Amino acid sequence: MTASPSAPSPAEAPSAAPTPAAEGAPTAQAPADAPVTSDNAADILAADDSADELAAVAKRSTTRRGLLIGGSVAAAALVAGGAWLTLRRTNQGVVGAAEEIPLVIGGDICAAPLYAAYHQGYFDDAGLNVTLVRTQQTEDTKDGVGAGKYIGAPGIFFSWLEPIYNGLNARLTAGLHAGCLRVVAPEGSSYSSLADLKGASIGVPSLSSSAFAYFSIGLSDAGINPDPSAGDISWRTIDSDSLGQSLTSGDVDVIMGSDPGVLLPVLAGTGHEIANNDAEQFCCSVVLNGDFVSKQPERAKALTEAWLKGSAYVPDHIEEIAKLEVDNEYVATEQDVVQKVLRTYGFDASATRFRAAIEPGIERFKKTGFISADVEAGKLADAVYADLGISQ
């Protein structure tokens, strides 16, 4: 399959405020960013055996089970140098007993199914040693998953079509929920639809972001070429957390992205929504490294099923999940905002219905020019989606 014309792809990485190192955190001989293993656990614990300090460290990780050493809750998370958060977990209370499965997290509210599955212990129940890893700003999540540095990530499936089409080693295994992408214009502006945006300056997290990929379809439908080289749109890449500020300051005419950053002006009354993806049956999906899927299909199936259980848990526990997202600094906003946003999503996760939704999505995406118009949607859907035998 040959590569097709595509937009430039600056690094796309989840954005969130760096997390400072925990006060009183253990200082062991092992590197600060090393995983907790059976070899270094004793040193780490010995370095800080104060009950009060251990409790303070443990409090920073509100996982359901925490870190068990010798059957006792001992410690929770080590904060890596450079202030990027890596949450470490164990499997069945045995440190280092299972290979770690790192999953990417970012600053998006819509990753709630992953947070729910992690904190409810669904991955543990499946015998999977999942860790949550926040990537750095300069790192491309797609390249990381494709290369196997990370086993998986949540992602809008439209944004993964072109990379997988062009050879990225990743597969999609299930759809998680509907809704989470928006286009917002200043309150009182003349922008009321995507068709009004020809010649506008648009702020977007990156040109490989989910929002750029998805709304390129709507722009194409409106007769606007989304390709940056075409000149119909003046694209500006802006950190997700700064999108709202760039809109209110007038640095850009319109912003597009995922919650919460893009929605804050709407909630503050300074912006109005002109487009979203609420009509899509699926928005975010489970994305896994291709080798993990092909070489460890049973673990890939168990991982996906646990993730789907997380999606099913969210709608009946909105306040709990919102608090969890804020307390763990997964998102940079207030709990009431998270609750309002989560209630706008449709959590009807499925693997089987997700495959059915991909094919027409590909037909629509072909109009953007980022994949060839003559590609067969069915064949590409088969290449993108991995059937793991999940009946849901």
Side-chain angles (χ1 to χ4, degrees), residues 61-66 87 89-90 92 111-128 130 132 305-325 328 330:
S61 176
T62 57
T63 58
R64 186 170 71 97
R65 294 174 180 170
L87 299 177
R89 284 183 68 110
T90 62
Q92 302 298 327
L114 175 55
Y115 304 141
Y118 181 81
H119 286 274
Q120 287 301 306
Y122 296 151
F123 295 123
D124 282 347
D125 293 341
L128 302 171
V130 164
L132 303 184
E305 289 177 330
W307 211 324
L308 291 174
K309 287 180 67 176
S311 184
Y313 183 85
V314 174
D316 293 330
H317 303 85
I318 294 293
E319 291 185 9
E320 174 191 337
I321 299 301
K323 185 176 188 303
L324 183 154
E325 291 196 13
N328 287 275
Y330 293 148

Side-chain angles (χ1 to χ4, degrees), residues 190-259:
S190 60
Y191 299 113
S192 61
S193 70
L194 293 177
D196 299 328
L197 298 184
K198 188 168 186 177
S201 62
I202 301 180
V204 67
S206 82
L207 298 183
S208 62
S209 68
S210 300
F212 176 83
Y214 178 75
F215 291 115
S216 289
I217 299 172
L219 290 171
S220 298
D221 289 342
I224 301 172
N225 190 337
D227 193 318
S229 64
D232 285 0
I233 298 290
S234 176
W235 295 100
R236 288 191 56 189
T237 56
I238 299 171
D239 180 78
S240 295
D241 293 339
S242 302
L243 284 172
Q245 181 180 351
S246 69
L247 184 72
T248 55
S249 66
D251 290 343
V252 292
D253 298 321
V254 172
I255 55 175
M256 62 173 59
S258 57
D259 300 325

Side-chain angles (χ1 to χ4, degrees), residues 12 101-105 114 123 141-148 150-161 163-164 168-176 210 283-293 300 303-304 307-308 354 358 383-386 388:
E12 178 189 14
I101 299 177
L103 302 179
V104 173
I105 61 172
L114 175 55
F123 295 123
T141 298
K142 294 182 177 67
D143 286 345
V145 172
Y150 310 112
I151 293 301
I156 311 296
F157 81 84
F158 283 105
S159 71
W160 290 81
L161 291 177
I164 295 175
L168 186 78
N169 186 23
R171 303 292 291 276
L172 313 181
T173 61
L176 294 168
S210 300
C283 180
C284 286
S285 60
V286 175
V287 186
L288 300 180
N289 170 264
D291 287 341
F292 178 73
V293 170
L303 181 67
T304 302
W307 211 324
L308 291 174
F354 178 65
I358 292 178
V384 167
Y385 173 74
L388 297 173

